[in-house]
Structure formats: C-alpha cells, structure tokens
Amino acid sequence: MLWVVRLSGLCSLTMVMVVLSPSLQSFPPAEAIRSSHYLRLYGGYNHHLAAASDDSEDLVFRRAPPFHNAAECEPPSANGTSVCDSSLVHIAITLDEEYLRGSIAAVHSVLAHTRCPESVFFHFLVSEPSLEPVVRSAFPGLRFKAYYFDPDRVRGLISSSVRQALEQPLNYARNYLADILEHCVRRVIYLDSDLVVVDDIAKLWRTELGSRAVGAPEYCHANFTKYFTDRFWSDQRLASTFAGRRPCYFNTGVMVLDLVRWRRAGYTRRIERWMEVQKSGAGRIYELGSLPPFLLVFAGHVAPIEHRWNQHGLGGDNVRGSCRDLHPGPVSLLHWSGSGKPWVRLDSIRPCPLDHLWAPYDLYGPAAS
C-alpha cells in the first residue's frame, strides 16, 4: 500500500512504532453505537464523520473495551465517586461536533495507557450539551462531568485569526477552567482534542510546578517575536510586558494547571484584559487565536515539562497542508496541532505517515458485518 512505502523512509517513525507497540495491538470486539443514533443526539449531520462512506448507516461509534485499575492503584478515598476525591487525576477536554471524533480518541488513548484508569476523572467542556450521551455510550464506566460553556462569554473578545477553527468560542474555554470546575479541584491537566497519549497520564499529573500556575513543554529556540505584531513590539508600553522575563513559546494544547494559584492570582481576568487590548481599535497586537494572551501572561513564568509530553505540530502549518516528522527524543503524547487532522486525512485516503499512529484509538468507523 502507498502508506507503507511512505513509512519506509522514516527512521524516527520506526523507533516510535517500537515504543508504542503495546498501544497498536488490536482491541477486543466492542459494542457499536450506530451513527444514526449519534447524529440524532445533536440533530445534525457531520460531513467529517461521514467522509469514509456515502451511507452514514454504515458508520458507528464503537464502545471502548473496559479498563480497570491495576492491583497497585490507590483505592478510592472516603469520597467515593465524588469529583472531590483526592486520589483522582483530573483531565479537562472540550467536546464539540467537529472535533468529537478526536476527543473520543484522546480519551480512549488515556485509558489505554494509564495503570489506574478508574482513578481518572474527565471534565468535558461543551457548547452542545447533547454530546454527553455519546461519551457515556462509548465509555460506560467513565468518571466524568460535562460543563456547558456559554459561547457568549467570549464571543465579544475574539478577534479574527489565521484559521477559522481558532476563532471558535470553545477554543477559549481553557481560560475559564478555574471558574468552571469545582473549587475542590486543585489541579487539572488540559488536553486538546487532536492528540493521543501513549504513556501513563499519571506521570504528567505528578509534574512538579513549584511556584508556577502553569506547566508545559517550552520551546525557547522558537522565534518568540513572530507571535506578536509590529505594533506590539513598537509600543514600549506593550513590549515592556516581557521586561525581566525570559519568554519562551509553549503550546497551550497540553498544560498542567495549578487552579489554586490561578484563582488566587486572577489569571482569567489578566488574559481577558489582553484580549480587550487586541479589540480596542488601536491596532492588532497578535494574529493567532487563544495562544498569544497566554504567552503575554505566562511566558517566562512556566514550569518546564519534558518535550515528550507534547510532540506537537503533526497537523502541519496553518496555511497549507503538510506532513511533519517527530521532534527528536522520546514520545509520550502525539499532538496534531495545525490545520491537518488525522481522521480527515485518513478518511480521504491521503494520510501523513504519522496519522497511522492515531488510528488505533479511533472508535468511529465502518460497522462490523
């Protein structure tokens, strides 16, 4: 097949296949959720989900195999199944119609690789409340809660970006996690919907943040100035924001957040203020979506996390489709940030080589005969 030929030239991919081999085994037979039922849940038809077939009745969301804690996992605390259980690992991720397939795969990958899947609690940020039953059907034993994020909360603060996807209100829900989640939740891992985890998420959860509110892989070799406009850098009042800091780029699709420190420092409002500056009419200070306000508030004040936890950029650049290779080093998380998404490219039979590493976690596809 064509993709086999393309794979043969990638030495780094061979290494990754060895590392990820436990995750590439065939999963047990799974109960199917017919796409006709799924589509009725939110009353629409998604062309991304139906791209693999002209007949949507042939496509299903399968039920994931059951996942159970290993014997050495810490038993639940006295709070039982409460979100306030101190033994839980908390993960926040968005659910929307366009990226639902990616979100389901991301959850599946987390459960497949953690030793204590019953100790993971998912916080789903949704703008379509009717998507919650899809998750419950695909993962019957999953511990989760859905939170409605009102698009009007940020609609007036969003400015146009290089990609329309970056302008969607739900893309900004991460800014409000400290307000939305219960105050007993002191820490949370935020994950984008276009990634898969290929390591035990508990390792990321245990990352030491020190005095910082945000932990993320930093990329200090990147040209930091390109994330802001000439108007920003020419205005000393704006540019002085980074005085005394060593700002580095970090991708906001994978972050560990200390919500106690976040709430205490009022970081949500600080982010909003920069979005207001962008919309003030004096001229744009950045071109991307939700990333620059995060950089303005946190760059230079981030707890660094190993790069293995965000092998990002696999979706290619923001303007034209392109295939990317992995960064050097070990891999714990593969992230298809950029314009290309693996499910779209796989369905169109035009995948990039690394897209095949996402496929084992996809629960959507042709129904078993």
Side-chain angles (χ1 to χ4, degrees):
M1 291 183 291
L2 177 60
W3 71 268
V4 175
V5 176
R6 298 179 68 185
L7 283 174
S8 63
L10 284 170
C11 295
S12 61
L13 180 57
T14 302
M15 294 172 60
V16 173
M17 295 289 283
V18 173
V19 172
L20 305 186
S21 57
S23 69
L24 298 180
Q25 60 188 319
S26 59
F27 293 108
E31 181 176 338
I33 307 165
R34 295 216 164 267
S35 63
S36 58
H37 170 64
Y38 158 70
L39 294 169
R40 283 198 302 271
L41 289 174
Y42 62 85
Y45 183 83
N46 190 320
H47 69 279
H48 291 293
L49 296 175
S53 172
D54 292 331
D55 181 3
S56 65
E57 288 297 324
D58 293 335
L59 298 173
V60 298
F61 264 114
R62 300 185 306 281
R63 178 167 294 177
F67 297 98
H68 301 291
N69 281 357
E72 66 270 21
C73 293
E74 181 180 351
S77 71
N79 287 321
T81 59
S82 168
V83 68
C84 296
D85 184 340
S86 61
S87 68
L88 294 175
V89 171
H90 295 276
I91 298 175
I93 190 168
T94 59
L95 292 180
D96 71 348
E97 178 183 331
E98 184 173 359
Y99 284 85
L100 180 62
R101 188 169 167 186
S103 298
I104 295 290
V107 172
H108 191 194
S109 71
V110 170
L111 298 175
H113 288 280
T114 183
R115 296 186 66 81
C116 305
E118 296 174 81
S119 300
V120 179
F121 195 103
F122 284 89
H123 303 265
F124 293 116
L125 307 170
V126 304
S127 55
E128 289 281 350
S130 57
L131 298 181
E132 179 181 347
V134 181
V135 177
R136 197 174 301 280
S137 296
F139 305 103
L142 191 68
R143 301 176 74 172
F144 77 91
K145 181 176 179 180
Y147 305 77
Y148 176 69
F149 181 75
D150 187 351
D152 289 337
R153 188 167 188 174
V154 293
R155 205 183 300 277
L157 294 172
I158 297 174
S159 56
S160 59
S161 185
V162 294
R163 279 196 295 124
Q164 187 175 6
L166 301 178
E167 302 170 21
Q168 299 307 308
L170 200 58
N171 196 42
Y172 294 80
R174 73 194 82 188
N175 302 2
Y176 297 90
L177 285 169
D179 300 334
I180 295 171
L181 304 190
E182 289 80 353
H183 274 228
C184 64
V185 180
R186 302 174 60 86
R187 170 183 283 220
V188 68
I189 297 171
Y190 176 82
L191 298 177
D192 269 351
S193 299
D194 52 358
L195 56 78
V196 292
V197 178
V198 293
D199 201 348
D200 192 338
I201 198 69
K203 297 177 184 177
L204 181 59
W205 176 255
R206 292 193 293 265
T207 298
E208 179 57 54
L209 300 185
S211 62
R212 307 303 192 189
V214 174
E218 290 186 300
Y219 301 88
C220 295
H221 63 279
N223 181 3
F224 190 81
T225 61
K226 72 178 183 179
Y227 295 101
F228 303 95
T229 64
D230 290 342
R231 183 235 162 178
F232 175 87
W233 293 114
S234 63
D235 188 326
Q236 187 55 36
R237 293 173 302 172
L238 298 174
S240 64
T241 299
F242 295 113
R245 295 156 62 177
R246 183 172 179 264
C248 296
Y249 163 77
F250 65 96
N251 180 279
T252 56
V254 181
M255 298 183 291
V256 181
L257 305 179
D258 184 324
L259 298 181
V260 176
R261 286 193 173 90
W262 184 295
R263 293 169 182 135
R264 187 183 301 140
Y267 284 126
T268 295
R269 184 58 192 140
R270 295 192 195 185
I271 292 172
E272 286 182 330
R273 288 195 190 106
W274 281 113
M275 296 173 71
E276 290 167 355
V277 172
Q278 168 83 339
K279 297 281 287 186
S280 65
R284 296 172 66 91
I285 61 173
Y286 55 80
E287 300 297 341
L288 291 174
S290 60
L291 171 63
F294 258 86
L295 296 179
L296 286 160
V297 174
F298 295 110
H301 299 308
V302 171
I305 291 175
E306 289 183 89
H307 289 176
R308 68 188 303 152
W309 285 105
N310 196 352
Q311 285 268 350
H312 69 285
L314 304 184
D317 57 46
N318 289 319
V319 179
R320 57 183 176 81
S322 60
C323 294
R324 298 282 180 86
D325 201 353
L326 293 174
H327 310 298
V331 181
S332 291
L333 184 150
L334 298 157
H335 187 186
W336 279 262
S337 57
S339 59
K341 301 308 171 189
W343 56 91
V344 176
R345 296 193 297 216
L346 286 163
D347 286 354
S348 64
I349 319 179
R350 298 175 61 185
C352 290
L354 293 176
D355 294 346
H356 295 279
L357 298 181
W358 178 88
Y361 307 101
D362 186 15
L363 292 178
Y364 195 77
S369 57

